[in-house]
Amino acid sequence: PNLRNEEIAFSCHLDHQRPGANDNASGSVAILEVARAFSKLIREEKIAPPRRTIRFIWPPEIEGTITYLNARPEITARIKAVIHMDMVGGGPETKAIFHVTRGPNSLPSFVNDVAEHFGEFVNTESAKFAGGQPTEFPLIAPEGGKEPLLAEMAPFSLGSDHQVYADSSFGIPAIYLNDWPDRYIHTNFDTPANVDPTKLKRAAFIGAANAYFLANATEAQATDILRVVQAHSLRRTATMIMRRPSMDQVDQTILVREHLWYERTVVDSMERFFRTPDRVRASAKTFLDSLARQVGPAEVARNVEMEQLQVFRRRASLKGPMTAFGYDYFDDHFPATRQRPPGLFVYRGLRGSGSEYAYEVLNLVDGRRTVVDITDAVSATYGPVPVDMVFEYLRELQLMGVIELVK
């Protein structure tokens, strides 16, 4: 009975430029249809009521979510995961690619592997149907398209409400379902005529399947979850290995260490939902130990400055990312007497830009990681970045009172 006090949330934003059919009437109607479908199926006793509560939220984009999570801390504390839909109906005319997007590397969670599992299921079933093969789940609407979904399983990217939930001050794992690019976004061509009912059905199904599974997840599902996590972990490990040859020895070692930390923490994330059974924990340890042996050493000796060993923590009274649409906390509090903002803001790494580095650097301030640890973590995600640049940004956050020195 206590599980009903825990929640899985659906989120999308109602606001945007007119006519806004895909951005974001599509997400709004998709989660509304999920709510309607759940209610109907429960009422007809075709599915059991979910163990955890499922909440539906329609905020103004980003700033509305920041306000909501700050204003309702009792609700925020109950949310175990969120499924966010922002642009999920783009038809062929929009040239959109549908993404099942993971959370940031600073917040590892099995929730993202479950999302990819359902996304891959729809990819497979829709491809069978489009190719003329028999399938039990074509997931098509009578008046919609018949092509395969071809969803991309994507790494974390900024740009919508999911980044608020996943911010470390809230720490809520977020599944982000979205179209990008969309050639009609923010134009008068973003009309219902360019929204595909089949695409909406498939996006709603992926969201609903994730929500219902997570709402009912207990230790009885731990073995199945671990199996999915292991399969995706091997894929991530293969990608990591392919990146190593272009790096020097130090950067390779950092990459391996951060990768292994991520994979261990994904397994640990099951504890957010239930106590992991000992047999599952033992199986996970065997797998992770074997993985560590395969990818090589994860430690390296190097020289660091004393100031780079400083440890910071976030102030509990300030919750949310630095940036919302129309407002930037950092810009608002950055002294006008300073000649330039931190160099991190304009830095471009191999796989990320300044805004992504800045978002993750703040997320990694946890009262335990040193400046060097934080630099290593963001370097493994987005590409090497100078430790002095990270330290400069952290010092500015300290001067603004966003973070404080621990030791």
Side-chain angles (χ1 to χ4, degrees):
N2 291 336
L3 288 183
R4 71 185 62 178
N5 296 320
E6 300 178 0
E7 298 186 2
I8 306 299
F10 274 95
S11 165
C12 74
H13 63 88
L14 282 170
D15 62 320
H16 239 312
Q17 288 90 337
R18 297 178 183 176
N22 197 31
D23 187 17
N24 187 30
S26 64
S28 299
V29 73
I31 73 169
L32 184 64
E33 174 63 10
V34 171
R36 186 203 65 81
F38 277 157
S39 296
K40 181 176 187 293
L41 293 170
I42 292 169
R43 187 171 60 251
E44 295 175 354
E45 298 184 348
K46 292 181 178 177
I47 63 172
R51 290 186 173 95
R52 294 179 177 88
T53 297
I54 299 178
R55 180 180 295 272
F56 298 81
I57 307 169
W58 288 267
E61 188 174 15
I62 297 186
E63 65 265 29
T65 298
I66 293 174
T67 303
Y68 180 77
L69 295 182
N70 274 284
R72 302 297 300 274
E74 74 285 1
I75 292 176
T76 303
R78 294 200 296 263
I79 299 176
K80 294 298 180 182
V82 64
I83 298 152
H84 179 58
M85 296 193 185
D86 184 356
M87 302 172 63
V88 294
E93 282 298 311
T94 68
K95 308 300 182 184
I97 299 173
F98 185 70
H99 299 84
V100 178
T101 303
R102 299 183 68 82
N105 278 13
S106 57
L107 185 60
S109 176
F110 79 90
V111 164
N112 300 128
D113 291 330
V114 170
E116 290 181 356
H117 178 76
F118 284 118
E120 290 161 354
F121 172 80
V122 176
N123 273 353
T124 299
E125 295 301 306
S126 63
K128 285 181 181 178
F129 177 81
Q133 301 176 45
T135 175
E136 190 176 353
F137 300 101
L139 291 166
I140 57 169
E143 67 278 27
K146 307 299 186 289
E147 64 277 353
L149 178 62
L150 301 177
E152 181 178 329
M153 308 303 140
F156 176 76
S157 60
L158 295 168
S160 198
D161 300 79
H162 66 294
Q163 71 193 54
V164 180
Y165 288 94
D167 179 87
S168 63
S169 59
F170 299 119
I172 300 172
I175 297 165
Y176 179 30
L177 305 180
N178 65 296
D179 282 341
W180 191 256
D182 182 324
R183 64 175 179 164
Y184 296 139
I185 186 174
H186 300 175
T187 74
N188 59 348
F189 290 103
D190 187 9
T191 62
N194 293 317
V195 170
D196 177 26
T198 289
K199 180 78 162 293
L200 285 175
K201 183 173 186 174
R202 290 168 175 173
F205 171 82
I206 293 171
N210 275 286
Y212 195 70
F213 178 83
L214 294 174
N216 289 296
T218 65
E219 63 180 42
Q221 282 77 47
T223 299
D224 292 331
I225 291 171
L226 179 61
R227 188 179 298 115
V228 169
V229 166
Q230 287 173 331
H232 291 173
S233 176
L234 290 173
R235 296 180 195 174
R236 288 189 290 270
T237 301
T239 300
M240 183 272 295
I241 290 173
M242 292 295 290
R243 285 172 51 188
R244 287 197 299 185
S246 61
M247 299 178 173
D248 63 29
Q249 186 60 50
V250 172
D251 288 337
Q252 284 189 35
T253 305
I254 291 170
L255 180 66
V256 170
R257 186 182 67 223
E258 296 301 323
H259 174 76
L260 293 174
W261 170 83
Y262 182 90
E263 298 305 334
R264 291 190 184 101
T265 312
V266 169
V267 173
D268 292 341
S269 70
M270 284 191 278
E271 296 287 336
R272 181 176 175 85
F273 282 72
F274 49 79
R275 181 190 174 279
T276 308
D278 292 341
R279 69 182 186 285
V280 175
R281 178 68 67 180
S283 179
K285 183 179 185 305
T286 299
F287 172 79
L288 292 167
D289 288 348
S290 175
L291 199 67
R293 289 192 297 271
Q294 293 294 322
V295 297
E299 298 298 333
V300 64
R302 52 188 170 142
N303 295 321
V304 297
E305 303 293 335
M306 284 301 296
E307 66 180 12
Q308 297 169 359
L309 297 177
Q310 291 184 24
V311 176
F312 297 91
R313 65 182 168 217
R314 294 184 71 158
R315 286 181 57 199
S317 58
L318 292 175
K319 291 185 178 294
M322 290 288 96
T323 302
F325 286 149
Y327 179 76
D328 188 294
Y329 187 94
F330 191 96
D331 287 347
D332 195 26
H333 292 75
F334 189 72
T337 54
R338 303 281 174 82
Q339 292 186 353
R340 64 172 183 84
L344 188 65
F345 284 2
V346 294
Y347 185 78
R348 293 200 65 84
L350 296 174
R351 291 171 298 280
S353 63
S355 59
E356 292 165 318
Y357 278 95
Y359 176 82
E360 279 289 73
V361 165
L362 181 55
N363 280 346
L364 290 162
V365 173
D366 60 0
R368 298 185 301 276
R369 290 184 175 93
T370 66
V371 176
V372 171
D373 293 336
I374 293 172
T375 303
D376 288 349
V378 294
S379 294
T381 300
Y382 294 124
V385 60
V387 65
D388 291 343
M389 199 171 284
V390 172
F391 183 62
E392 177 192 28
Y393 178 53
L394 292 172
R395 283 283 295 141
E396 291 292 350
L397 291 175
Q398 182 190 15
L399 292 173
M400 291 178 182
V402 177
I403 64 176
E404 56 190 5
L405 184 67
V406 176
K407 61 181 179 179

